[in-house]
Amino acid sequence: TRAPNLAQAPQERPARYSWRVWVIVPIYVLALLPLVFTIIDVTFGTGLWYTGIAGVEYQGGYLASTIYNAGLLASALKGVNTYFLGLVVLGFLAYISVSARGSQSRGQMLAWMLLAFQIITLLLVSVLRNVFPEPAAPYVLTSAALSLVYGYAAFQQMISERRLQQGRLAPRLVGLVLVIAVPLLAAVAGFISVRAATLLEPMNLERLERLNYALGDHIETWLDFNNRALSQMVAQSGITSMDPVQQKPILEAMAGTYPYMYLVSTTDLTGLNVARNDDVAPLDYSDRAWFQNARDGRPWTQVLIGRTSGVPAWVASQPIRNADGDIVGVGMFASTLEDLSALVAESVAGATGISYVVDAQGMLIMHSVIQDLGAEEVRDFSDYPPVTALLAGDVGALQFADAEDLAWRAYTSTLDNGWGIVVQIPETELLASLMDVRALAFLVIALGIVLLSVLSGLAVRQAFLPLTAMTVAVAEITAGDLAQEVPVESADEIGMLAQGFNAMVARLREMFGSLEQQVNARTFDLERRAAYLQASAEVSRATTSILDPEQLISQAVDLIRERFGLYYVGLFLVDHAGEWAVLRAGTGGAGRMMLARQHRLAVGPGSMVGWSIQNAAPRIALEAGEDAVRLATPELPETRSEAAIPLRSRETVIGALTVQHHQAGAFDDDAIAALQTMADQLAVALENARLLAQSREALEAARHAYRQVSQQAWDTYLKTRSAPGYRYSRITPEPVSGDWNPEMLRAFETASPVETTSPVGTTLTVPVMVRGQPVGVIAFRKAGYWDSEQRRVITSLVEELGQTLESARLYEETQRRVAEEQMVGRVATRVRESLDLDVVLQAAARELQDVLDLSRVEIRLGAPDIGAGPEAESC
């Protein structure tokens, strides 16, 4: 704080105050150093002074500054601010207090006040430290009190020296702009930094979470898909027969369908292979956990070193049960971890993030960069921090450092089968955008301050030169002297302002007489435009809510006539040949009469409607009798003005609106613009309705065709084999045959459930539907009646059964085609083994007889001899 001597001569002030500047400026610089270094450390993460504190270390309460201010320069800054600045401030205040030599100036009084308060504060800190239980409380209270007292002293000093009222206006204005703008810019920079940290970091963590859950859903879907495939495989009759000859094609088809399965096999109850998809000799898997658990009736998965592949693999197994439900073997498939890792290769965060999956024991199953980890052994990840947290039951966001002190952010979750999903990214990449935002924000703020200082100084300097002369004239004009004019003394913006102000005053003088009339006219125009806009909005709502073209046309013409107060509105659409515009809707009795006589107009210059359609532009007749191409209509004798508005949709004119009024000159530019907008909206809505109708027809045709194809396939399927039927009465399913009872026939024919009651109970017969066509029925019998919830559940189950039957039929058809192709390929291979013609023919006959189980095969080459007799014809 400075203590000015107002009685001192002005010429002595620079000599007396020069040394104080050299003392005060360094004090301010040293006092601001902690703030400056804190901003630098928070923005760029340099850690020179402010190092921050981790959230896991802070549990509330007071923290010594050594915890969060522990950078390289922390000790030096604390020493300077605690001891050096404290002694300098006390000494400077003491000097100012006695330097006035007895004069009681305001500055001297403020200096005495600050010195006394500083000493009292030091004493209070020593006393209050033993009173308050919180060690930080005395420092907080005294710091707040010192801030208030020093702020009051600074304000009084500025008033006493009249610093706010002294000096030229332009520098003062520039200084005021900077005083206001710089704190705001600094606050904006701080706010941007804080908001960036508040928004970007949670967004990045949320992205990790979304990636984690997406990967989890993908893996669960993949697991469910493979388990279903394995369940369907082990349930096939060829597999349950435990016949290696029947099992081999099924296993090969399974491996061919799912290329990532390098091994698909079956084992007997001793663990020895029955059949495999490859040519490897049978192996003994009795020591494998997947075999032991599946043999005991528990489907199992296991990560191990493949006995076939010799590399880490993932194995899934399920028991094979015969028709009686007894376990007769084990079915399995195996996939290498590198193949499985393709599932997570695309679910990584950023450029250097990784994703991986571990089982319930922490063994690695899938990894986005597993090729970089090596594939010689099964990797145990249980000691890796995210996996350790998963095994302990902790899921969610995680922050950790690996063995190389690289900081990571991760998100973990678990699947229902105990597998853990981890998605992680280096902290430097996660927070890179935040650091860039902070640096850019402070750079822009710094440049903004510099530019603001320069530009505001230049602008204010040039702008204030002619203002003094203008002030007097403006004051007289403000008092009511409209004859006064502002002098124009420059050709810049101030001169333009003076010219504009003079023009405004002249305009005011001219407008006083006719102001009310102009206000009324403008009000009428505004009301009319508002009515047009409201009518357009109502028509727009109608066009977006009605999909039936006929209803849309009828309501649109009535709505336009009502909202615009018109005499008649008609809508014409162009026919398919493009030659005639046919009336499709008209208002009132005239419209009904013209529709009854099928009123139409030729497209072309012979009528206003035809001209408008041909030229794709509106045509207006402000006086109906004077338009050269207008055709008078006997049903509309009162028409005085008319307009034809084209209906344009997608650069095509599909028709036109005719709007007629009983007053001449009823259509101005605003009305035509509003009507054209409504016409375009109506045209688009009509086209959309037409396209929607066509789309629905095409969709229904496609559905009908697909249903016919599916029905033909089921008819063919059921004709080629006896229709199966089973009955279950809480004992075991047993085949049934014979004629269907009447309820089954009725349910099948009507494709709807049939409920009948008999002395033994109530029977609910439900048709099994595939693609909307019945393929069978199911009869449910119970003692009592069926309630609505039971009917709903049964209906849902039967619908699911229909879809399952369709899938089974398609799968069986696929298997049959595969078997046929394999048979043809095998015969072709055996035939191609020789180039000798006789050997080829003999091999072909032999293979065809063996494959088709024929009693005789006869092959002959050459043209038949018609005259050779019956023997030649029999060949």
Side-chain angles (χ1 to χ4, degrees), residues 407-430:
W408 294 83
R409 294 288 183 93
Y411 194 91
T412 62
S413 64
T414 58
L415 302 180
D416 293 339
N417 62 353
W419 286 11
I421 309 294
V422 181
V423 178
Q424 64 186 58
I425 185 174
E427 194 169 73
T428 53
E429 183 177 355
L430 182 74

Side-chain angles (χ1 to χ4, degrees), residues 307-320:
R307 188 160 290 166
T308 301
S309 63
V311 297
W314 177 73
V315 180
S317 63
Q318 291 188 12
I320 302 174

Side-chain angles (χ1 to χ4, degrees), residues 745-761:
L745 291 174
R746 183 151 51 112
F748 187 87
E749 292 173 354
T750 61
S752 60
V754 175
E755 184 175 348
T756 57
T757 303
S758 64
V760 296

Side-chain angles (χ1 to χ4, degrees), residues 54 91 146 297 350 574 580 595 604 696 702 814 866:
L146 282 172
V574 180
W580 295 93
L595 286 172
R696 287 176 174 173
T814 302
I866 303 301

Side-chain angles (χ1 to χ4, degrees), residues 202-251:
M203 287 172 58
N204 291 329
L205 293 177
E206 184 181 357
R207 182 161 58 93
L208 285 181
E209 181 181 359
R210 291 198 303 269
L211 281 174
N212 185 287
Y213 285 132
L215 178 57
D217 292 341
H218 185 44
I219 292 175
E220 284 185 333
T221 303
W222 184 85
L223 288 173
D224 182 68
F225 176 79
N226 284 279
N227 287 332
R228 286 176 180 269
L230 186 58
S231 298
Q232 292 177 357
M233 187 195 77
V234 300
Q236 296 187 41
S237 59
I239 297 296
T240 58
S241 68
M242 297 306 291
D243 182 4
V245 176
Q246 298 183 39
Q247 289 181 346
K248 181 74 172 180
I250 299 176
L251 300 180

Side-chain angles (χ1 to χ4, degrees), residues 262 285 288 303-315 334 378:
Y262 72 86
Y285 292 102
R288 297 297 198 186
V303 179
L304 43 69
I305 299 297
R307 188 160 290 166
T308 301
S309 63
V311 297
W314 177 73
V315 180
V378 178

Side-chain angles (χ1 to χ4, degrees), residues 237-311:
S237 59
I239 297 296
T240 58
S241 68
M242 297 306 291
D243 182 4
V245 176
Q246 298 183 39
Q247 289 181 346
K248 181 74 172 180
I250 299 176
L251 300 180
E252 291 176 347
M254 183 78 169
T257 304
Y258 308 104
Y260 53 83
M261 299 180 184
Y262 72 86
L263 174 61
V264 184
S265 70
T266 59
T267 61
D268 57 20
L269 295 180
T270 65
L272 185 64
N273 276 145
V274 175
R276 301 166 60 100
N277 68 299
D278 54 19
D279 296 328
V280 177
L283 298 178
D284 185 6
Y285 292 102
S286 59
D287 58 332
R288 297 297 198 186
W290 59 262
F291 164 75
Q292 297 170 1
N293 284 275
R295 179 193 59 193
D296 297 337
R298 297 185 299 273
W300 203 257
T301 62
Q302 184 180 2
V303 179
L304 43 69
I305 299 297
R307 188 160 290 166
T308 301
S309 63
V311 297

